[in-house]
């Protein structure tokens, strides 16, 4: 290479590098460009290699020019390298639109009936009861006969019942069970008491059991009736269980759920499966200034016009009694050795009293405006 060629080459590299580098947008093509100019056999190395062939006086000045060119190319490549690696991807500006409204995930929550059932079961659990569930389809025996409610006895009317039509051949487990026991028809249980029979037939005392579940009665639906609702049954069987045990346990329960100042009263009643039987009332949580919910009487609510107790000042919350010896006989227990008590409460009723709800249908309409309040 003679001097002129070298000078022209320096000039053209100096111009071309700017054009070439602008068109580059990937690390790979930048590396190729670097190799082309700054590599060991690259264009600038060729120029440097030609210097010793030049006449001595020219070497210094041209060497300086080539060095300057080399620095220029290196610095352009370095700049480009930085801009390629820090440049955000093309789509980024669409992803980070901070003006977009946020997507709020709505949290689900438990149904108020589920919450009350959990709360009631937890209270009894703490007192040593275990939770057991039974089937909603029951035999006539467990729902009635085993509980000392004989066929044709007028007390069956109090537990009006949905009977199930059965295929003539026993096709499922329950139908087989029914056939085996020769207990007659199957039905939708009208209370949770049949689980007493199931548990006592399969386990020996001592027993302390709580049974939450759905029950069915062919009632016309109105503000206080539903053809399906929930009950919680409880019972204890052991030697020396007395009526005072029943009173103590139920009072502890009522205080835990309605507040420690609540008062209780036991009224004589009749159930075929308990003797003696009682209905249990609590002092009205609206017009008596004693409950957790209403630490003061509701304004303007005098007992006489209280919308909840209608002036009676007492609210019925459950039925209970000492388990009838006939029930023990029916399950094969020694009724001279064992005594026990049982109780049953309507879950919707407890929830309505606790939260001041005046229509049972609200629980089943699935209106989120109602359900979200609990
Ligand atoms: N099973 C009764 C009912 O549904 C309630 C109850 C249960 C009463 C246990 C006494 C003992 O009305």
């Amino acid at each position: 290479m003679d001097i002129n060629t070298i000078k022209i080459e320096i000039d053209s590299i100096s111009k071309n590098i700017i054009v070439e580098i602008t068109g580059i947008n990937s690390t790979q093509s930048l590396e190729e460009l670097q190799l082309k100019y700054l590599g060991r056999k690259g264009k600038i190395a060729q120029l440097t290699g030609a210097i010793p062939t030049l006449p001595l006086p020219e070497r210094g000045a041209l060497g300086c020019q080539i060095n300057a060119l080399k620095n220029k190319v290196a610095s352009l490549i370095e700049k480009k390298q930085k801009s390629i690696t820090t440049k955000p991807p093309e789509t980024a500006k669409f992803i980070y639109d901070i003006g977009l409204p946020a997507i709020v995930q709505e949290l689900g929550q438990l149904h108020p009936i589920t919450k009350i059932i959990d709360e009631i079961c937890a209270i009894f659990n703490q007192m040593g009861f275990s939770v057991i569930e039974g089937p909603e389809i029951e035999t006539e025996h467990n729902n009635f006969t085993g509980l000392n409610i004989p066929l044709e006895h007028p007390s069956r009317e109090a537990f009006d019942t949905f009977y199930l039509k059965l295929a003539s051949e026993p096709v499922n487990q329950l139908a087989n069970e029914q056939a085996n026991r020769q207990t007659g028809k199957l039905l939708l249980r009208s209370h949770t008491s049949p689980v007493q029979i199931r548990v006592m037939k399969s386990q020996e005392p001592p027993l302390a059991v709580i049974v939450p579940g759905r029950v069915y009665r062919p009632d016309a639906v109105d503000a206080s009736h539903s053809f399906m609702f929930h009950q919680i049954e409880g019972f204890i069987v052991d030697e020396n269980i007395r009526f005072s045990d029943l009173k103590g346990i139920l009072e502890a329960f009522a205080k835990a759920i309605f507040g420690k100042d609540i008062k209780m009263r036991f009224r004589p009643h009749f159930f075929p499966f308990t003797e003696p039987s009682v209905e249990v009332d609590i002092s009205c949580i609206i017009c008596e200034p004693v409950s957790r919910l209403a630490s003061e009487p509701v304004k303007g609510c005098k007992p006489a016009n209280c919308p909840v107790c209608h002036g009676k000042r007492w609210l019925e919350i459950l039925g209970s009694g000492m388990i009838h010896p006939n029930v023990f006989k029916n399950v094969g227990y020694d009724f001279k050795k064992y005594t026990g008590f049982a109780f049953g409460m309507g879950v919707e009723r407890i929830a309505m009293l606790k939260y001041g709800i005046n229509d049972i249908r609200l629980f089943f309409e699935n209106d989120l405006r109602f359900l979200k309040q609990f």
Side-chain angles (χ1 to χ4, degrees):
M1 253 193 271
D2 61 9
I3 295 180
N4 276 340
T5 324
I6 292 177
K7 282 185 175 164
I8 292 168
E9 185 67 3
I10 290 176
D11 226 36
S12 90
I13 291 179
S14 190
K15 283 177 190 150
N16 287 347
I17 184 72
I18 298 200
V19 179
E20 280 183 64
I21 209 154
T22 336
I24 277 177
N25 52 17
S26 77
T27 318
Q28 197 195 342
S29 38
L30 190 66
E31 276 167 7
E32 282 163 14
L33 189 82
Q34 186 172 25
L35 214 61
K36 176 174 165 191
Y37 287 103
L38 302 178
R40 267 198 310 131
K41 291 177 183 165
K43 291 196 171 209
I44 292 176
Q46 282 170 23
L47 294 180
T48 320
I51 286 182
T53 64
L54 299 178
L56 208 55
E58 310 290 347
R59 289 185 196 171
L62 268 179
C64 280
Q65 280 187 44
I66 295 172
N67 251 342
L69 178 68
K70 191 176 171 183
N71 290 341
K72 179 180 168 183
V73 171
S75 106
L76 281 172
I77 288 178
E78 192 185 343
K79 256 194 197 164
K80 189 73 185 186
Q81 180 74 55
K82 277 187 190 155
S83 84
I84 287 177
T85 47
T86 57
K87 199 172 160 195
E90 278 302 299
T91 50
K93 59 177 178 277
F94 300 112
I95 294 172
Y96 303 112
D97 181 350
I98 58 164
L100 281 175
I103 300 165
V104 180
Q105 289 291 343
E106 280 219 44
L107 276 186
Q109 62 176 64
L110 294 177
H111 191 280
I113 292 298
T114 311
K115 280 191 176 168
I116 285 274
I117 289 178
D118 288 351
E119 189 178 344
I120 295 173
C121 287
I123 292 169
F124 283 105
N125 220 223
Q126 275 187 333
M127 294 195 259
F129 287 72
S130 23
V131 179
I132 296 183
E133 286 178 298
E136 290 167 28
I137 296 177
E138 259 301 0
T139 61
E140 208 176 27
H141 176 84
N142 288 346
N143 198 75
F144 290 125
T145 328
L147 286 165
N148 199 34
I149 315 177
L151 261 174
E152 314 305 336
H153 193 279
S155 62
R156 284 202 182 201
E157 284 164 24
F159 300 98
D160 244 1
T161 306
F162 286 113
Y163 279 89
L164 300 177
K165 272 194 192 143
L166 269 192
S168 51
E169 290 290 316
V171 284
N172 58 29
Q173 198 193 335
L174 263 166
N176 278 325
E177 186 183 342
Q178 182 241 359
N180 291 341
R181 290 191 190 171
Q182 298 180 326
T183 46
K185 302 172 214 162
L186 288 186
L187 44 80
L188 292 178
R189 66 180 177 192
S190 53
H191 52 173
T192 40
S193 302
V195 185
Q196 285 187 39
I197 304 296
R198 288 182 172 269
V199 174
M200 289 187 216
K201 276 198 166 168
S202 61
Q203 293 180 44
E204 287 297 312
L207 291 176
V209 174
I210 198 93
V211 185
R214 292 195 186 99
V215 301
Y216 301 83
R217 293 182 192 176
D219 284 332
V221 175
D222 64 22
S224 49
H225 292 89
S226 166
F227 53 83
M228 185 283 291
F229 56 99
H230 298 75
Q231 280 191 337
I232 292 188
E233 187 87 5
F235 55 96
I236 283 192
V237 184
D238 201 355
E239 293 175 38
N240 297 321
I241 298 292
R242 293 159 303 185
F243 194 81
S244 52
D245 295 317
L246 178 159
K247 287 179 79 178
I249 295 269
L250 290 183
E251 188 157 347
F253 159 70
K255 291 191 165 169
I257 192 126
F258 290 112
K260 65 178 171 39
D261 296 324
I262 209 87
K263 284 178 251 160
M264 287 192 96
R265 122 182 141 167
F266 294 76
R267 273 183 293 107
H269 196 72
F270 172 77
F271 295 106
F273 32 90
T274 47
E275 179 58 34
S277 304
V278 286
E279 272 191 334
V280 178
D281 300 340
I282 54 164
S283 46
C284 179
I285 55 174
I286 300 299
C287 64
E288 287 280 319
V290 288
S291 82
R292 189 169 4 142
L293 288 171
S295 52
E296 291 179 352
V298 173
K299 261 205 183 119
C301 177
K302 297 198 182 80
N305 58 17
C306 174
V308 175
C309 71
H310 307 288
K312 292 189 195 132
R313 296 191 135 179
W314 293 98
L315 303 166
E316 184 220 315
I317 57 160
L318 53 84
S320 75
M322 302 304 288
I323 297 174
H324 199 292
N326 284 349
V327 175
F328 286 149
K329 264 192 234 168
N330 292 339
V331 295
Y333 278 6
D334 180 349
F335 63 91
K336 294 210 175 94
K337 185 174 174 194
Y338 294 117
T339 49
F341 67 79
F343 56 88
M345 65 185 97
V347 178
E348 282 78 1
R349 178 159 174 85
I350 302 277
M352 287 166 83
L353 294 176
K354 189 172 157 86
Y355 296 121
I357 298 161
N358 57 11
D359 196 325
I360 195 172
R361 289 170 290 199
L362 288 165
F363 290 117
F364 307 119
E365 282 167 355
N366 284 336
D367 185 333
L368 288 180
R369 291 168 301 178
F370 170 75
L371 296 175
K372 273 183 177 168
Q373 294 176 50
F374 300 94

PDB file of all heavy atoms in Angstrom, residues 1 25 91 93 117 126 129-130 152 170 195 225 234 244 267 284 321 326 333 362:
ATOM      1  N   MET A   1       0.850  -1.195   0.000  1.00  0.00           N
ATOM      2  CA  MET A   1       0.000   0.000   0.000  1.00  0.00           C
ATOM      3  C   MET A   1       0.889   1.250   0.000  1.00  0.00           C
ATOM      4  O   MET A   1       1.806   1.353   0.814  1.00  0.00           O
ATOM      5  CB  MET A   1      -0.870   0.002   1.272  1.00  0.00           C
ATOM      6  CG  MET A   1      -2.330  -0.333   0.963  1.00  0.00           C
ATOM      7  SD  MET A   1      -3.360   0.046   2.337  1.00  0.00           S
ATOM      8  CE  MET A   1      -3.276  -1.490   3.219  1.00  0.00           C
ATOM      9  N   ASN A  25     -28.490  -3.126  14.854  1.00  0.00           N
ATOM     10  CA  ASN A  25     -29.302  -3.128  16.076  1.00  0.00           C
ATOM     11  C   ASN A  25     -29.256  -4.464  16.825  1.00  0.00           C
ATOM     12  O   ASN A  25     -30.112  -4.759  17.623  1.00  0.00           O
ATOM     13  CB  ASN A  25     -30.761  -2.746  15.779  1.00  0.00           C
ATOM     14  CG  ASN A  25     -31.337  -3.599  14.665  1.00  0.00           C
ATOM     15  OD1 ASN A  25     -30.766  -4.645  14.352  1.00  0.00           O
ATOM     16  ND2 ASN A  25     -32.441  -3.169  14.081  1.00  0.00           N
ATOM     17  N   THR A  91     -42.052  -3.605  22.898  1.00  0.00           N
ATOM     18  CA  THR A  91     -43.415  -3.713  23.413  1.00  0.00           C
ATOM     19  C   THR A  91     -43.574  -3.143  24.817  1.00  0.00           C
ATOM     20  O   THR A  91     -44.671  -2.978  25.302  1.00  0.00           O
ATOM     21  CB  THR A  91     -43.835  -5.187  23.467  1.00  0.00           C
ATOM     22  OG1 THR A  91     -42.799  -5.886  24.131  1.00  0.00           O
ATOM     23  CG2 THR A  91     -44.055  -5.776  22.098  1.00  0.00           C
ATOM     24  N   LYS A  93     -43.446  -0.343  26.250  1.00  0.00           N
ATOM     25  CA  LYS A  93     -44.258   0.847  26.530  1.00  0.00           C
ATOM     26  C   LYS A  93     -45.751   0.516  26.575  1.00  0.00           C
ATOM     27  O   LYS A  93     -46.528   1.200  27.199  1.00  0.00           O
ATOM     28  CB  LYS A  93     -43.961   1.954  25.531  1.00  0.00           C
ATOM     29  CG  LYS A  93     -44.190   1.625  24.085  1.00  0.00           C
ATOM     30  CD  LYS A  93     -43.911   2.875  23.248  1.00  0.00           C
ATOM     31  CE  LYS A  93     -44.060   2.638  21.771  1.00  0.00           C
ATOM     32  NZ  LYS A  93     -42.842   2.049  21.170  1.00  0.00           N
ATOM     33  N   ILE A 117     -72.641 -22.395  61.773  1.00  0.00           N
ATOM     34  CA  ILE A 117     -72.434 -23.825  62.067  1.00  0.00           C
ATOM     35  C   ILE A 117     -71.014 -24.037  62.593  1.00  0.00           C
ATOM     36  O   ILE A 117     -70.807 -24.705  63.610  1.00  0.00           O
ATOM     37  CB  ILE A 117     -72.694 -24.692  60.808  1.00  0.00           C
ATOM     38  CG1 ILE A 117     -74.186 -24.702  60.494  1.00  0.00           C
ATOM     39  CG2 ILE A 117     -72.186 -26.118  61.021  1.00  0.00           C
ATOM     40  CD1 ILE A 117     -74.574 -25.479  59.246  1.00  0.00           C
ATOM     41  N   GLN A 126     -64.916 -27.429  71.931  1.00  0.00           N
ATOM     42  CA  GLN A 126     -64.094 -27.038  73.091  1.00  0.00           C
ATOM     43  C   GLN A 126     -64.559 -27.737  74.361  1.00  0.00           C
ATOM     44  O   GLN A 126     -63.791 -27.940  75.282  1.00  0.00           O
ATOM     45  CB  GLN A 126     -64.200 -25.534  73.317  1.00  0.00           C
ATOM     46  CG  GLN A 126     -63.229 -24.751  72.466  1.00  0.00           C
ATOM     47  CD  GLN A 126     -63.242 -23.284  72.833  1.00  0.00           C
ATOM     48  OE1 GLN A 126     -64.251 -22.765  73.320  1.00  0.00           O
ATOM     49  NE2 GLN A 126     -62.150 -22.611  72.604  1.00  0.00           N
ATOM     50  N   PHE A 129     -67.105 -32.281  72.701  1.00  0.00           N
ATOM     51  CA  PHE A 129     -67.982 -32.999  71.763  1.00  0.00           C
ATOM     52  C   PHE A 129     -67.231 -33.259  70.450  1.00  0.00           C
ATOM     53  O   PHE A 129     -66.429 -32.427  70.024  1.00  0.00           O
ATOM     54  CB  PHE A 129     -69.209 -32.138  71.419  1.00  0.00           C
ATOM     55  CG  PHE A 129     -70.234 -32.023  72.524  1.00  0.00           C
ATOM     56  CD1 PHE A 129     -69.977 -31.271  73.657  1.00  0.00           C
ATOM     57  CD2 PHE A 129     -71.470 -32.648  72.416  1.00  0.00           C
ATOM     58  CE1 PHE A 129     -70.925 -31.144  74.674  1.00  0.00           C
ATOM     59  CE2 PHE A 129     -72.415 -32.535  73.417  1.00  0.00           C
ATOM     60  CZ  PHE A 129     -72.150 -31.775  74.553  1.00  0.00           C
ATOM     61  N   SER A 130     -67.525 -34.399  69.806  1.00  0.00           N
ATOM     62  CA  SER A 130     -66.978 -34.583  68.459  1.00  0.00           C
ATOM     63  C   SER A 130     -68.081 -34.372  67.424  1.00  0.00           C
ATOM     64  O   SER A 130     -69.255 -34.639  67.689  1.00  0.00           O
ATOM     65  CB  SER A 130     -66.337 -35.950  68.269  1.00  0.00           C
ATOM     66  OG  SER A 130     -66.843 -36.869  69.179  1.00  0.00           O
ATOM     67  N   GLU A 152     -98.197 -44.370  63.015  1.00  0.00           N
ATOM     68  CA  GLU A 152     -99.574 -43.938  63.316  1.00  0.00           C
ATOM     69  C   GLU A 152     -99.663 -43.065  64.569  1.00  0.00           C
ATOM     70  O   GLU A 152    -100.732 -42.660  64.961  1.00  0.00           O
ATOM     71  CB  GLU A 152    -100.543 -45.132  63.500  1.00  0.00           C
ATOM     72  CG  GLU A 152    -100.441 -46.237  62.449  1.00  0.00           C
ATOM     73  CD  GLU A 152    -100.602 -45.718  61.028  1.00  0.00           C
ATOM     74  OE1 GLU A 152    -101.217 -44.664  60.850  1.00  0.00           O
ATOM     75  OE2 GLU A 152    -100.074 -46.371  60.096  1.00  0.00           O
ATOM     76  N   PRO A 170     -84.105 -52.998  45.104  1.00  0.00           N
ATOM     77  CA  PRO A 170     -83.119 -52.153  45.790  1.00  0.00           C
ATOM     78  C   PRO A 170     -81.883 -51.964  44.905  1.00  0.00           C
ATOM     79  O   PRO A 170     -81.225 -52.934  44.570  1.00  0.00           O
ATOM     80  CB  PRO A 170     -82.759 -52.944  47.045  1.00  0.00           C
ATOM     81  CG  PRO A 170     -83.364 -54.285  46.891  1.00  0.00           C
ATOM     82  CD  PRO A 170     -84.326 -54.269  45.757  1.00  0.00           C
ATOM     83  N   VAL A 195     -79.512 -39.251  63.600  1.00  0.00           N
ATOM     84  CA  VAL A 195     -78.082 -39.534  63.736  1.00  0.00           C
ATOM     85  C   VAL A 195     -77.779 -40.066  65.155  1.00  0.00           C
ATOM     86  O   VAL A 195     -76.819 -40.805  65.349  1.00  0.00           O
ATOM     87  CB  VAL A 195     -77.233 -38.291  63.363  1.00  0.00           C
ATOM     88  CG1 VAL A 195     -75.747 -38.622  63.394  1.00  0.00           C
ATOM     89  CG2 VAL A 195     -77.624 -37.776  61.985  1.00  0.00           C
ATOM     90  N   HIS A 225     -90.447 -19.860  57.464  1.00  0.00           N
ATOM     91  CA  HIS A 225     -90.437 -21.287  57.130  1.00  0.00           C
ATOM     92  C   HIS A 225     -89.724 -21.532  55.815  1.00  0.00           C
ATOM     93  O   HIS A 225     -89.813 -20.731  54.890  1.00  0.00           O
ATOM     94  CB  HIS A 225     -91.873 -21.837  57.004  1.00  0.00           C
ATOM     95  CG  HIS A 225     -92.601 -21.861  58.297  1.00  0.00           C
ATOM     96  ND1 HIS A 225     -93.335 -20.787  58.746  1.00  0.00           N
ATOM     97  CD2 HIS A 225     -92.685 -22.813  59.258  1.00  0.00           C
ATOM     98  CE1 HIS A 225     -93.857 -21.082  59.924  1.00  0.00           C
ATOM     99  NE2 HIS A 225     -93.475 -22.314  60.267  1.00  0.00           N
ATOM    100  N   GLY A 234     -77.268 -32.329  69.405  1.00  0.00           N
ATOM    101  CA  GLY A 234     -76.163 -32.663  70.296  1.00  0.00           C
ATOM    102  C   GLY A 234     -76.647 -33.704  71.287  1.00  0.00           C
ATOM    103  O   GLY A 234     -77.825 -33.707  71.646  1.00  0.00           O
ATOM    104  N   SER A 244     -79.076 -31.606  85.329  1.00  0.00           N
ATOM    105  CA  SER A 244     -78.254 -30.420  85.639  1.00  0.00           C
ATOM    106  C   SER A 244     -77.069 -30.323  84.667  1.00  0.00           C
ATOM    107  O   SER A 244     -76.608 -29.218  84.359  1.00  0.00           O
ATOM    108  CB  SER A 244     -77.750 -30.471  87.080  1.00  0.00           C
ATOM    109  OG  SER A 244     -77.121 -31.712  87.317  1.00  0.00           O
ATOM    110  N   ARG A 267     -88.523 -24.429  79.756  1.00  0.00           N
ATOM    111  CA  ARG A 267     -89.984 -24.641  79.864  1.00  0.00           C
ATOM    112  C   ARG A 267     -90.297 -26.106  79.611  1.00  0.00           C
ATOM    113  O   ARG A 267     -89.773 -26.683  78.654  1.00  0.00           O
ATOM    114  CB  ARG A 267     -90.707 -23.827  78.795  1.00  0.00           C
ATOM    115  CG  ARG A 267     -91.034 -22.420  79.165  1.00  0.00           C
ATOM    116  CD  ARG A 267     -91.804 -21.739  78.051  1.00  0.00           C
ATOM    117  NE  ARG A 267     -90.986 -21.551  76.841  1.00  0.00           N
ATOM    118  CZ  ARG A 267     -91.145 -22.244  75.738  1.00  0.00           C
ATOM    119  NH1 ARG A 267     -92.070 -23.196  75.651  1.00  0.00           N
ATOM    120  NH2 ARG A 267     -90.375 -22.014  74.692  1.00  0.00           N
ATOM    121  N   CYS A 284     -84.578 -11.844  75.465  1.00  0.00           N
ATOM    122  CA  CYS A 284     -84.590 -11.209  74.136  1.00  0.00           C
ATOM    123  C   CYS A 284     -83.342 -10.347  73.937  1.00  0.00           C
ATOM    124  O   CYS A 284     -83.048  -9.454  74.726  1.00  0.00           O
ATOM    125  CB  CYS A 284     -85.838 -10.356  73.958  1.00  0.00           C
ATOM    126  SG  CYS A 284     -85.841  -9.541  72.342  1.00  0.00           S
ATOM    127  N   GLY A 321     -83.892 -32.510  76.190  1.00  0.00           N
ATOM    128  CA  GLY A 321     -84.415 -33.337  77.275  1.00  0.00           C
ATOM    129  C   GLY A 321     -83.493 -34.510  77.549  1.00  0.00           C
ATOM    130  O   GLY A 321     -82.469 -34.687  76.886  1.00  0.00           O
ATOM    131  N   ASN A 326     -86.676 -45.741  76.064  1.00  0.00           N
ATOM    132  CA  ASN A 326     -87.055 -46.534  74.875  1.00  0.00           C
ATOM    133  C   ASN A 326     -86.046 -46.363  73.744  1.00  0.00           C
ATOM    134  O   ASN A 326     -85.823 -47.280  72.969  1.00  0.00           O
ATOM    135  CB  ASN A 326     -88.444 -46.133  74.375  1.00  0.00           C
ATOM    136  CG  ASN A 326     -89.529 -46.698  75.267  1.00  0.00           C
ATOM    137  OD1 ASN A 326     -89.250 -47.539  76.122  1.00  0.00           O
ATOM    138  ND2 ASN A 326     -90.763 -46.234  75.067  1.00  0.00           N
ATOM    139  N   TYR A 333     -78.778 -50.390  74.129  1.00  0.00           N
ATOM    140  CA  TYR A 333     -78.029 -49.921  75.310  1.00  0.00           C
ATOM    141  C   TYR A 333     -78.751 -50.391  76.576  1.00  0.00           C
ATOM    142  O   TYR A 333     -79.974 -50.528  76.586  1.00  0.00           O
ATOM    143  CB  TYR A 333     -77.984 -48.382  75.350  1.00  0.00           C
ATOM    144  CG  TYR A 333     -76.923 -47.718  74.503  1.00  0.00           C
ATOM    145  CD1 TYR A 333     -76.107 -48.443  73.640  1.00  0.00           C
ATOM    146  CD2 TYR A 333     -76.742 -46.331  74.576  1.00  0.00           C
ATOM    147  CE1 TYR A 333     -75.152 -47.803  72.877  1.00  0.00           C
ATOM    148  CE2 TYR A 333     -75.795 -45.688  73.816  1.00  0.00           C
ATOM    149  CZ  TYR A 333     -75.002 -46.426  72.956  1.00  0.00           C
ATOM    150  OH  TYR A 333     -74.069 -45.789  72.200  1.00  0.00           O
ATOM    151  N   LEU A 362     -83.829 -14.953  52.969  1.00  0.00           N
ATOM    152  CA  LEU A 362     -82.600 -14.233  52.603  1.00  0.00           C
ATOM    153  C   LEU A 362     -81.387 -15.172  52.559  1.00  0.00           C
ATOM    154  O   LEU A 362     -80.460 -14.975  51.775  1.00  0.00           O
ATOM    155  CB  LEU A 362     -82.336 -13.115  53.624  1.00  0.00           C
ATOM    156  CG  LEU A 362     -83.292 -11.921  53.529  1.00  0.00           C
ATOM    157  CD1 LEU A 362     -83.186 -11.063  54.781  1.00  0.00           C
ATOM    158  CD2 LEU A 362     -82.980 -11.101  52.287  1.00  0.00           C
TER     159      LEU A 362
END
